[in-house]
Amino acid sequence: MAQLNLLVVYCSDLKTSLEYYRSLGLHFVEEQHGKGPIHWSTDLDGCIFELYPKRKADAEKFFPPLRFGLALKEKNIKFEIPKSGDADAPNIVRDPDGNYIHLTLTP
């Protein structure tokens, strides 16, 4: 059985994306590996979730939006989740780079 253990999101504006994900209640640490870029990382129960800056060299490349899910405690989210009206996917939000996040909320 396979298990997802790493998810990297490349961000047009790292600061804005970091603030957005922090507003979902995620706690990040700053990292840098060797001479690589400064980025932010958090461990989501065995899956490392990282926010990396998009490099200038990648500016003209197309990064299609991701769609992924996060299970979060509703009380830790610092903004109101808009209701989509879709009974099958009631809590889908988009991050600052247009990625789709399916939120599973727990009390």
Side-chain angles (χ1 to χ4, degrees), residues 11 14 17 28 33 39 52 58-59 61 64 72 76:
C11 308
L14 187 58
S17 293
F28 289 86
H33 308 293
H39 60 281
Y52 266 80
D58 294 332
K61 293 181 182 174
L72 303 168
N76 292 340

Side-chain angles (χ1 to χ4, degrees), residues 70-89:
L70 294 173
L72 303 168
K73 293 188 182 220
E74 191 167 13
K75 66 180 182 177
N76 292 340
I77 297 174
K78 296 175 176 65
F79 64 92
E80 188 171 333
I81 304 297
K83 300 300 178 199
S84 70
D86 181 347
D88 293 326

Side-chain angles (χ1 to χ4, degrees), residues 35-104:
K35 294 182 180 180
I38 293 173
H39 60 281
W40 295 85
S41 178
T42 187
D43 186 334
L44 301 175
D45 197 26
C47 179
I48 302 302
F49 179 57
E50 296 183 318
L51 303 176
Y52 266 80
K54 277 188 187 174
R55 301 173 303 168
K56 288 182 182 177
D58 294 332
E60 294 185 19
K61 293 181 182 174
F62 176 67
F63 285 85
L66 296 173
R67 180 174 173 156
F68 57 95
L70 294 173
L72 303 168
K73 293 188 182 220
E74 191 167 13
K75 66 180 182 177
N76 292 340
I77 297 174
K78 296 175 176 65
F79 64 92
E80 188 171 333
I81 304 297
K83 300 300 178 199
S84 70
D86 181 347
D88 293 326
N91 297 317
I92 294 178
V93 296
R94 294 186 82 174
D95 74 6
D97 284 294
N99 296 305
Y100 296 89
I101 309 165
H102 184 125
L103 301 176
T104 301

